[in-house]
Amino acid sequence: MKSFLILTASIVALSAAAPALGADFAVQPVNIKAPPMPIAAPITDWTGYYIGINSGWGAGHNCWNFNGVTPEGCHNSTGGSIGGQIGYRWQIFNMVYGIEGQGNWADFSGSNVSTAFPADTLRTKTDAFGLLAGQIGYAFNAVLLYAKGGAAVTSNTYHIDSVATGTEIAKSSNVRWGGALGAGVEVSLTPSWSAGVEYDHLFMQGTNVAFPGAGVDRVHQDVDLITARFNYKLSPVLGK
């Protein structure tokens, strides 16, 4: 009987303690750390003033006509170029608008023997050009595709030389105005630096070139340019 009472008391005690033990051994909530938020890719803003340098290659196509009537043939004047540009762009969503001025030193030269006067060599040298153009483009974040159009100017020197001796017979110079169309791609390398490649075609007006003692030639000119460009973007507002 004594053993039965002890067993009964033990069962009652265990029954009373069971809820507390159950609470102690219940499944505890697991503290799972949330994964870090993904870092958004930086968004390139093309808005702002910029300055830069460029270098490349050019070819001028020059056709001469004596007194504007008699064809004397055509030649390409080719060579290198180096210069700089300055401009401003503003971005609205993915569209980018801008205006840019560019000035380059050039060394484009070429010649042909006159078809009308076989004793003469006609030579054209372009030593500088400039562009003032508007831009419109589309930005794929750090990559900008754009087209441009505006005014162009070239500085030229024209020579008539003797085929037999190579001596100069006559020389004349002029500055002529025309139009320009182009396209390019530019890649943002850092928030301030970008690099790109650009192609331009210059449509220059035909011009009468007077050679003292040798008459007048009407010279038509078109120029193709391809340049590598490096730009540094300044603050959107100068002075900040």
Side-chain angles (χ1 to χ4, degrees), residues 44-230:
T44 300
D45 183 4
W46 292 92
T47 298
Y49 293 93
Y50 64 91
I51 58 174
I53 59 172
N54 70 79
S55 181
W57 176 88
H61 186 64
N62 308 278
C63 292
W64 295 42
N65 296 279
F66 182 69
N67 285 334
V69 177
T70 306
E72 293 194 73
C74 302
H75 59 264
N76 290 328
S77 52
T78 61
S81 170
I82 187 169
Q85 63 273 349
I86 182 170
Y88 182 82
R89 291 181 176 133
W90 58 96
Q91 182 171 348
I92 303 174
F93 299 108
N94 290 90
M95 298 301 297
V96 179
Y97 306 90
I99 185 169
E100 179 184 276
Q102 176 181 337
N104 277 55
W105 166 85
D107 186 20
F108 307 159
S109 61
S111 64
N112 71 278
V113 175
S114 171
T115 56
F117 307 99
D120 296 341
T121 296
L122 313 178
R123 183 159 50 97
T124 305
K125 178 177 173 58
T126 300
D127 53 30
F129 65 86
L131 305 174
L132 179 61
Q135 294 182 354
I136 182 170
Y138 190 89
F140 298 89
N141 196 5
V143 178
L144 174 64
L145 301 178
Y146 63 90
K148 63 188 292 186
V153 60
T154 61
S155 173
N156 310 278
T157 304
Y158 307 96
H159 302 260
I160 300 176
D161 300 331
S162 168
V163 172
T165 65
T167 58
E168 183 178 280
I169 298 172
K171 181 175 76 171
S172 185
S173 300
N174 73 8
V175 172
R176 64 171 63 191
W177 289 86
L181 290 175
V185 57
E186 195 165 332
V187 179
S188 176
L189 306 176
T190 72
S192 296
W193 288 98
S194 61
V197 177
E198 182 176 296
Y199 165 79
D200 297 289
H201 184 81
L202 312 187
F203 306 85
M204 311 310 295
Q205 297 179 352
T207 301
N208 290 330
V209 180
F211 295 94
V216 176
D217 271 272
R218 186 162 184 83
V219 180
H220 298 268
Q221 181 185 62
D222 289 296
V223 183
D224 291 292
L225 305 167
I226 184 164
T227 52
R229 299 156 55 90
F230 295 92

Side-chain angles (χ1 to χ4, degrees), residues 4-19:
F4 177 77
L5 291 174
I6 293 172
L7 180 59
T8 301
S10 298
I11 292 173
V12 172
L14 288 172
S15 298

